[in-house]
Amino acid sequence: MILSTLLLFLPTLTAASDDHLTVRTRTGKFTGLLNPDFPSVREFRSIPYAQPPVASRRWLPPAPLADSNETHYATNYPPSCAQYVSGNPSVFGSIVPEFYIWDGNENSTAGLMAQASSEDCLQLAIWAPTNATNLPVIVFFTGGAFKTGGINIPYQLPPSWVSRTQSHIVVTTNY
């Protein structure tokens, strides 16, 4: 499922509009942004790759998205997949809280589902040089046993690397 979405999306990175921030796919038109700190990097932060696994779709395999001409703004990170913030103190919560996805307003021992997470999370993000043509693609699957992991974990964001090398495209997925 993820691979088929990538195969449909990535060829359009080289055939983008004049501003190189809008691409067309079979599931819609997506507008990204230039990274504010690394302007040689295009970011598409939130691209759905399957129908939301909620309600009657909960616990079923991912289902393909329908073809669409809808316009989407992929400028904000999606929520991470559902994660539990333990009620017990942990190394992550005390020493390296940046590994968690919460927004800083949540107690590190909340004993609840993380506020910045959702069941509707099957999305990916793409970082590419502004002049990307026929570059290799690196795919990173976030994870963390329902306790950590997501597209927007600060230490995992790749724009500085993509900017420095200008030789690959990075795709990060919520899964």
Side-chain angles (χ1 to χ4, degrees):
M1 177 62 56
I2 296 169
L3 186 56
S4 63
T5 301
L6 286 174
L7 293 175
L8 292 170
F9 187 84
L10 290 175
T12 62
L13 282 174
T14 60
S17 66
D18 290 337
D19 65 5
H20 296 285
L21 295 176
T22 301
V23 296
R24 293 182 189 276
T25 72
R26 72 167 183 79
T27 60
K29 184 168 65 169
F30 294 86
T31 300
L33 71 153
L34 292 177
N35 182 284
D37 297 321
F38 302 97
S40 64
V41 177
R42 290 182 287 167
E43 294 185 0
F44 300 88
R45 294 179 173 178
S46 182
I47 301 166
Y49 62 84
Q51 291 179 25
V54 297
S56 64
R57 294 235 22 95
R58 183 177 287 141
W59 306 116
L60 295 177
L65 294 168
D67 290 359
S68 171
N69 290 320
E70 187 176 345
T71 299
H72 306 273
Y73 293 94
T75 57
N76 294 316
Y77 293 112
S80 296
C81 293
Q83 297 176 24
Y84 178 74
V85 178
S86 175
N88 299 318
S90 71
V91 170
F92 286 119
S94 336
I95 298 173
V96 285
E98 62 272 13
F99 284 38
Y100 279 142
I101 59 159
W102 71 68
D103 60 10
N105 296 319
E106 190 171 352
N107 184 322
S108 65
T109 56
L112 302 167
M113 187 169 120
Q115 294 173 4
S117 68
S118 171
E119 289 182 326
D120 182 4
C121 65
L122 299 182
Q123 299 191 38
L124 55 86
I126 298 174
W127 288 266
T130 53
N131 60 352
T133 56
N134 299 322
L135 295 177
V137 176
I138 298 167
V139 180
F140 177 67
F141 294 94
T142 64
F146 299 107
K147 294 179 184 174
T148 184
I151 290 174
N152 62 345
I153 302 293
Y155 76 95
Q156 294 176 346
L157 296 176
S160 64
W161 183 33
V162 173
S163 175
R164 187 174 58 251
T165 65
Q166 295 288 299
S167 61
H168 58 279
I169 295 168
V170 176
V171 177
T172 301
T173 68
N174 278 338
Y175 188 71

